[in-house]
Amino acid sequence: MDLALPTAVLWLALGSTADPVVAGEAATEEPALATSEVVRVKRDFGKPHFDLVIDAWTDAAAARLHRAQLWWSNTSEADRRKPLGALIERMVKLQYRRLSSTSLTVAVAGDGKEFTFTVELASDGRVHAYVAIDTDGGRHIPRCRTDGVRLLARRVLGMPVGIASIAVTCTDAGGAVHSGQVRHREV
């Protein structure tokens, strides 16, 4: 049995306690950029005061989406952000890919599944995340704006050992609200 993934899930469950390390690029560029929380991911395991979030940075004119980052948010410390850490990023693969000046993807792969969030800067300057979902009613919606996200653990004997699914509530292009699971790709 490969213990790397259960170890990664346990690490995600406990939450990293290391202080964030700010890269030189981030320290020099981000103060001039507007930051917004795009997605907050609650979990059904681990420390309840640690959420996962995707934040995005845009320029003052809201003309370009500069970057996005998935990291921890410690709700017991006024949502202080912390990077996931090298150990997690080796076991749960993260990939950021630019699609255009106003759009990029954040792909999270683990436990044989890859989940993709498309982060987009809208013409009104707001940043949203979109996912493809399979609704609880059996429909597939290829593009749905996230409203609420919850990471659900795959469990063995009650212990979290992997990623079962990512549950989501989202709004489609017509304004209808849906509940379902983020569609994933097998990896």
Side-chain angles (χ1 to χ4, degrees):
M1 178 175 149
D2 181 9
L3 295 177
L5 186 59
T7 303
V9 171
L10 183 58
W11 186 262
L12 282 170
L14 297 175
S16 171
T17 58
D19 287 315
V21 176
V22 178
E25 178 184 337
T28 59
E29 288 183 24
E30 286 180 13
L33 301 175
T35 304
S36 60
E37 181 177 297
V38 182
V39 174
R40 179 169 293 260
V41 181
K42 300 287 188 177
R43 298 171 298 137
D44 73 342
F45 60 94
K47 293 181 180 179
H49 59 280
F50 278 96
D51 294 334
L52 292 163
V53 295
I54 296 176
D55 285 337
W57 288 263
T58 59
D59 57 31
R64 179 173 171 77
L65 177 62
H66 286 270
R67 74 181 190 99
Q69 181 173 342
L70 173 70
W71 51 2
W72 294 112
S73 175
N74 186 340
T75 60
S76 68
E77 295 180 9
D79 280 337
R80 182 172 65 94
R81 303 304 207 244
K82 296 166 49 166
L84 296 181
L87 177 63
I88 294 298
E89 289 191 11
R90 279 194 303 269
M91 295 178 198
V92 178
K93 303 293 184 211
L94 296 175
Q95 183 179 32
Y96 301 92
R97 188 169 52 103
R98 177 157 301 280
L99 302 176
S100 72
S101 64
T102 59
S103 179
L104 55 86
T105 61
V106 178
V108 182
D111 203 18
K113 302 173 181 105
E114 181 181 84
F115 301 91
T116 301
F117 294 84
T118 301
V119 179
E120 293 183 7
L121 175 62
S123 60
D124 66 0
R126 299 173 84 189
V127 183
H128 302 284
Y130 297 88
V131 292
I133 74 160
D134 294 320
T135 69
D136 294 339
R139 288 184 50 209
H140 172 69
I141 301 174
R143 181 178 163 84
C144 203
R145 189 184 72 230
T146 60
D147 299 322
V149 181
R150 187 163 177 87
L151 175 64
L152 304 173
R154 183 173 57 83
R155 298 177 184 275
V156 173
L157 300 174
M159 299 220 15
V161 296
I163 301 170
S165 64
I166 298 179
V168 66
T169 56
C170 60
T171 306
D172 67 19
V177 176
H178 302 277
S179 294
Q181 308 298 315
V182 175
R183 182 170 273 193
H184 66 273
R185 181 176 72 90
E186 299 291 328
V187 292

